[in-house]
Amino acid sequence: QVQLVESGGGLVQPGGSLRLSCGVSGSFMSFYAMAWYRQAPGKQRELVADIARGTTTNYADSVKGRFTISRDNAKSTIYLQMNSLKPEDTAIYYCNKYSGTPWNWGQGTQVTVSS
């Protein structure tokens, strides 16, 4: 059973940066397009960014130009570099497959953007 472990969240001021990491157990990650999702209080989980098995990436309009998704298949890890953070980026961030039946969700990592 694949386990997802997200880390790197925290409290940051508007305009600040954070780098999130997601470790994927086993050696399955290289076979899948991966993605970062987020869920803000009272809202549904939404797709933030995805990365194909290679390097092709896509971003939600709300984060385009500020966030960068990347992957290291050798380390079974994906990353989300978040710059120019805004209060509306406050949410719990999760990683998972981009498509198909998702693996069991991890606990996520809380990102809070506030002055």
Side-chain angles (χ1 to χ4, degrees), residues 62-73:
S62 59
V63 307
K64 201 171 294 184
R66 300 187 297 121
F67 290 11
T68 303
I69 187 172
S70 60
R71 65 190 296 160
D72 186 334
N73 289 333

Side-chain angles (χ1 to χ4, degrees), residues 9 23 34 37 39 41 45 49 55 69-70 78-79 83 86 89 99 102-103 112:
M34 296 294 295
Y37 303 82
Q39 187 166 20
R45 187 175 288 156
T55 57
I69 187 172
S70 60
I78 66 168
Y79 304 96
N83 299 327
K86 304 176 180 180
D89 295 318
S99 62
W103 294 316
T112 302

Side-chain angles (χ1 to χ4, degrees), residues 4-8 19-25 28-37 47-54 57 68-81 93-98 103 105 109:
L4 304 169
V5 180
E6 300 91 351
S7 62
R19 188 192 193 207
L20 307 184
S21 300
C22 172
V24 182
S25 66
F28 306 98
M29 197 190 81
S30 62
F31 297 106
Y32 297 96
M34 296 294 295
W36 282 97
Y37 303 82
L47 175 67
V48 175
D50 64 86
I51 183 166
R53 292 174 59 185
T57 58
T68 303
I69 187 172
S70 60
R71 65 190 296 160
D72 186 334
N73 289 333
K75 295 183 178 179
S76 291
T77 301
I78 66 168
Y79 304 96
L80 187 67
Q81 178 66 44
Y93 285 71
Y94 304 87
C95 67
N96 213 311
K97 293 191 294 180
Y98 170 63
W103 294 316
W105 294 90
T109 186

